[in-house]
Amino acid sequence: KAGVTQTPRYLIKTRGQQVTLSCSPISGHRSVSWYQQTPGQGLQFLFEYFSETQRNKGNFPGRFSGRQFSNSRSEMNVSTLELGDSALYLCASSLGTSDVYEQYFGPGTRLTVT
Amino acid sequence: AQSVSQHNHHVILSEAASLELGCNYSYGGTVNLFWYVQYPGQHLQLLLKYFSGDPLVKGIKGFEAEFIKSKFSFNLRKPSVQWSDTAEYFCAVIPAGAGSYQLTFGKGTKLSVIP
């Protein structure tokens, strides 16, 4: 079974630009979560989608948004980029049921904002 | 909201030494607990998990963890570490069956194993 894939793997953007990251979950998984990983803050939850609906949202500004498509693929968008948005963005997929919520992570997209 | 605390930021051990990494969580109800590992240059991998039942759970590569409910702890152990265990280890928690789908991670513990 193929794992979670994320594209692109690396991105360099300038302040003020916007960026879209993509995530394809493991086949059969309907839940996709996004995390931001930085050396100082560790792994911070951004949001989670299940069957095209956002079920949970972390404490990030409205510049961070996401969506999920009918095939469970998900995209994350960051508008008006700031230097502090430089991070590794991780996507994780899961079957999505709350009693057994085991997440599998992709390799991440390394975003550098200059 | 739940939170996770990992006591050690960086642990340095010699090969064959025993390992114990601390993890404490804050949440009043039933939880599911996880340990993830991130090897250098690789993505996060699930090491082991606790959902219910036997509080001593065994994972991959000889790792085990013990859930002590009264102490809100889920410490990771390995009797004898190898150089290949050099990685960053993350403890994570999610409320069980509570309609929350937010996995909360600790800040991680970096393990360096010296040959």
Side-chain angles (χ1 to χ4, degrees):
Chain A
K1 209 180 228 186
V4 178
T5 57
Q6 292 186 245
T7 57
R9 293 293 312 278
Y10 302 91
L11 264 179
I12 300 175
K13 292 284 189 178
T14 56
R15 275 181 301 175
Q17 287 186 313
Q18 74 159 15
V19 67
T20 299
L21 313 181
S22 181
C23 171
S24 293
I26 292 170
S27 177
H29 284 190
R30 295 166 65 190
S31 166
V32 172
S33 296
W34 289 89
Y35 297 86
Q36 182 194 66
Q37 186 177 20
T38 58
Q41 298 299 317
L43 280 144
Q44 292 186 286
F45 173 80
L46 280 154
F47 27 65
E48 188 260 2
Y49 287 88
F50 180 82
S51 293
E52 302 177 68
T53 300
Q54 186 182 89
R55 291 195 297 192
N56 272 96
K57 190 178 190 307
N59 295 324
F60 278 82
R63 301 185 296 108
F64 292 81
S65 63
R67 59 177 175 168
Q68 187 180 34
F69 302 96
S70 58
N71 62 357
S72 294
R73 192 177 68 85
S74 177
E75 287 182 349
M76 188 192 109
N77 185 273
V78 189
S79 62
T80 319
L81 284 166
E82 300 176 1
L83 293 179
D85 297 332
S86 294
L88 182 66
Y89 289 89
L90 296 171
C91 164
S93 79
S94 166
L95 289 171
T97 56
S98 61
D99 54 343
V100 181
Y101 199 65
E102 188 174 321
Q103 293 189 342
Y104 296 85
F105 284 80
T109 294
R110 173 76 61 188
L111 172 64
T112 302
V113 182
T114 62
Chain B
Q2 64 272 23
S3 65
V4 178
S5 174
Q6 291 184 242
H7 314 302
N8 307 101
H9 179 63
H10 192 184
V11 172
I12 303 172
L13 294 172
S14 298
E15 273 192 315
S18 64
L19 169 72
E20 180 157 4
L21 300 182
C23 171
N24 283 92
Y25 69 92
S26 171
Y27 184 74
T30 306
V31 294
N32 293 333
L33 295 153
F34 307 85
W35 276 98
Y36 282 86
V37 60
Q38 192 170 35
Y39 297 103
Q42 296 187 28
H43 61 276
L44 273 166
Q45 300 172 40
L46 183 63
L47 202 52
L48 49 77
K49 62 197 177 198
Y50 173 79
F51 291 144
S52 62
D54 189 345
L56 185 62
V57 293
K58 295 191 184 299
I60 60 171
K61 303 187 181 185
F63 286 91
E64 64 178 32
E66 185 176 13
F67 171 50
I68 303 179
K69 191 174 179 181
S70 61
K71 295 184 178 180
F72 297 90
S73 69
F74 189 56
N75 293 352
L76 181 71
R77 299 195 293 247
K78 185 171 184 179
S80 174
V81 295
Q82 302 173 309
W83 176 79
S84 58
D85 293 325
T86 294
E88 192 158 15
Y89 294 80
F90 295 90
C91 181
V93 64
I94 189 168
S100 170
Y101 306 96
Q102 178 174 336
L103 194 60
T104 300
F105 284 85
K107 295 248 169 129
T109 297
K110 195 166 289 188
L111 172 66
S112 299
V113 180
I114 303 167

